[in-house]
Amino acid sequence: MTIVPIFEALEPGIWRATAFARGPFAGVHGGSVAGLMAAAIEASAGAACGARALSLRADFLRPTPVGVPLVLSVTPVQVGRRLLLLDATVVAEGRLTARCSMTLATEMEVTGLAEDFCTETPPPPPDPESLPRRAGTAAHGGPWIMDVLQGRLAPDGVVWFRWTVPLLPGGVSPFVAALGPADFAHGLARPGQPGPSPVPAFPNSDLSVQFDRAPRGEWIGVRPFTRWRRQGLGIGYGDLLDLDGAFGRVGMGVVLVPA
């Protein structure tokens, strides 16, 4: 069986999202859009710089449509001795739909630390293969990202994800692959679980991630936390994990859409 990536390359700098790129509401899943921009930034920075992703902030200005050409642009902002900052944008049908800023940094041995330091140590993870599948359907009822991003729920509330198709032709870096799971943080611990949501839609307006090391392996875990307010705004946040432990954090603003 032919495996089709979530995004198809039409020509250099122009992409098209397939039906499986859709999020639960309108348009392409935010983590997939962020991944598209992050992959372009990594390619623009080039492996020769020796830097890896440190942080990313993506803003979703309007739904990115499926099935139309997406024009992707990257602009260098600052190139320093250890830090690089680059911006990226996605334009569809003449309208800006998403933008992001990404910081890359070079690693350097710190002799003052005898070992890695962390103020919290998550418990050993379970075998994700042994966990029950986390089922879910999209509000639009059609194909969507969770059809190709397998989710499994652990007893401690962590949801483990694994891609079953590549995001882009040729694959992506571990950092880019983690953005899709990270973008689900605000909905994994929402009110009403495991039943329907008390509000019909709760899109996140942005996505911010920080990585202290590169994720390892194909499984990405999200330990989610959520705060929703009756005034219609909220936040989602959480730890990002792999089978070796924590490697990053995620946060986003949430807009609650009343019936």
Side-chain angles (χ1 to χ4, degrees), residues 75-79 84-88 101:
T75 303
V77 176
Q78 177 68 34
V79 179
L84 294 85
L85 176 63
L86 297 94
D87 289 352
S101 292

Side-chain angles (χ1 to χ4, degrees), residues 18 31 44 100-101 112 129 157:
T18 69
S44 179
C100 83
S101 292
E129 294 280 5

Side-chain angles (χ1 to χ4, degrees), residues 7-141:
F7 289 100
E8 301 172 316
L10 301 182
E11 56 184 89
I14 301 180
W15 298 82
R16 179 168 56 206
T18 69
F20 290 112
R22 295 181 71 179
F25 310 118
V28 178
H29 174 242
S32 299
V33 177
L36 179 66
M37 293 186 287
I41 287 175
E42 286 184 336
S44 179
C49 71
R52 67 156 180 85
L54 178 65
S55 63
L56 175 143
R57 155 99 186 193
D59 294 291
F60 310 122
L61 309 178
R62 53 178 53 87
T64 297
V66 173
V68 305
L70 306 176
V71 181
L72 182 59
S73 302
V74 175
T75 303
V77 176
Q78 177 68 34
V79 179
R81 187 172 64 90
R82 291 194 62 189
L83 294 176
L84 294 85
L85 176 63
L86 297 94
D87 289 352
T89 59
V90 173
V91 173
E93 300 176 321
R95 304 178 75 192
L96 180 66
T97 67
R99 66 182 185 183
C100 83
S101 292
M102 182 169 163
T103 300
L104 299 95
T106 56
E107 296 180 329
M108 183 178 297
E109 188 71 19
V110 179
T111 57
L113 284 175
E115 58 183 15
D116 292 342
F117 175 79
C118 182
T119 57
E120 55 182 338
T121 303
D127 175 13
E129 294 280 5
S130 68
L131 301 174
R133 292 286 296 269
R134 190 180 191 278
T137 58
H140 50 72

Side-chain angles (χ1 to χ4, degrees), residues 189-201:
R190 63 163 174 79
Q193 293 278 21
S197 167
V199 298

Side-chain angles (χ1 to χ4, degrees), residues 124-134 150-156 158-162 216-222 241-244:
D127 175 13
E129 294 280 5
S130 68
L131 301 174
R133 292 286 296 269
R134 190 180 191 278
Q150 181 186 126
R152 294 179 179 265
L153 178 61
D156 61 359
V158 174
V159 181
W160 292 91
F161 293 93
R162 178 173 63 180
R216 295 187 280 264
E218 59 181 350
W219 286 101
I220 299 296
V222 181
L241 315 168
D242 58 23
L243 297 183
D244 290 334

